[in-house]
Amino acid sequence: MKRRIYNKKLSIKPYSLICLLFLFISEISFGQNPLIRDQFTADPTARVIGDKLFIFASHDIKCDSTQGRPNWFCMEDYHVFSTSNLTDWEDHGMILSQYQVPWADSESFSIWAPDGIEKDGKYYFYFPSKANGHHLQGHNPEINGSSFKIGVAVADSPDGPYVPEKLPIAKVNGIDPNVFIDKDGQAYLYWSQHHFYGAKLSANMKELESEPVVLSQFPDEGLKEGPFLFERNGIYYMTYPHVANNTERIEYATANNPLGPFTYQGVIMDESPTNCWTNHQSVVKFKNQWYFFYHHNDYSPDFDKNRSVMADSLFFDENGLIKKITPTLRGIGLTAANDKIKLDRYSAKSNEGYDIEFIDESNPFLGWKSVFDKNGSWVRYNQVDFGNDEPNVLLAKINAKEANGHLEFRLGSGNGKLITTIDISEAQKWDEHKAILESEISGIHDLFLVFNGTGNVEVDWISFKKM
Ligand code: FUB
């Protein structure tokens, strides 16, 4: 990574410690999907705060049989992350745990999808949890009635410390809180419990100012959850996951008013082809580009309750409709040429002869490698920033068991300028190989790597250096 910063609040488990150590010694470039590479993260709400982009996310963990519900979502705390360049993400550490919330059932490990937002210099963090019935007994009866409640915690800075209110928000039963503040300063709270509900929030952001209403014109068939509302050019876009077929896909509807009525507009992201049952989204504009944040179980292909936050660019057509997004591994942000570039987070690849595999299946957080096994197989990785350094060598970590031939590196495409080649007959085991660049490179370029030869070649990373 390019300098991941951990602060004092990070709670470290032994498994994370190994990953952390690896990350500090390896300087792998971040910004590709998944965005957070040392822990599971899900349900991202991305917010611009000052000149940074923050992610308020769920924190999936692996629970043992005494924690929560077996083989189900398991969450006990929240972290917040930020970036100023979409490539380097800072983990601000744990900002709130279920054990700090007086009304939460801390045996349920059910602090699911949250939201965080700034208003008048204060930061409000909204989160659901199963409630502790004993704690709620004797309080306002409007607070009882459902196992999932939504609470709010307040801080003076986006990374906390957050202080939770003693009770959940009255009249709000359900999950997946989302807050929207309109141009006139009025804040709205949205949540889901079979239907989508919405209500005005009072100025203190801690209680409802209006009665909850069921938002109209959303599909009744198939689970829907995770409402996230944003505004663009006077149109209010309600985005949400919905099970129209087998698993959740992301749909959206629009309205002229924050509380609707809404008109269905279409699908933003199809359901996952690899069976991650949930998805959960947010949309944000950062430095003049719109981005779509979501999650997928890339680090946990066999258990889809351990998910990871992803992001891709989002575009509107001339009528203000959202163009459908195909998830990418490349994700967002520029990659610095002198970082370790992971081509396995590719932008495009040949149909045959190129694949990705975990470096070590027993520790997915070590990431993936590129595997070429056919003459002519290729991979393209977009948006590498060479700056003005004009590197003169390419370093590459390669393993070429019983292979012959060479790897050819070009700028742009298969017809692009040849920058160097590596003879893989000399790369019989994992090792760093060095190749002199044929010309000076500066600025931003797409990289194209093609394998010409026979056998099986694996590439962990490549990096451009001035030596
Ligand atoms: O993360 C737990 C639940 O899964 C969320 O609350 C839903 O939106 C789904 O992503």
Side-chain angles (χ1 to χ4, degrees), residues 335-346:
T335 300
N338 61 5
D339 278 347
K340 288 179 177 166
I341 304 167
K342 296 286 292 175
L343 298 168
D344 50 80
R345 308 294 84 197
Y346 58 79

Side-chain angles (χ1 to χ4, degrees), residues 43 58 73 75 112-113 175-176 225-226 278-280 295 307:
D43 306 324
S58 298
F73 303 105
M75 290 111 136
W112 289 6
I175 60 168
D176 293 355
E225 53 185 358
T278 65
N279 200 350
H280 188 115
H295 70 221
R307 303 153 296 176

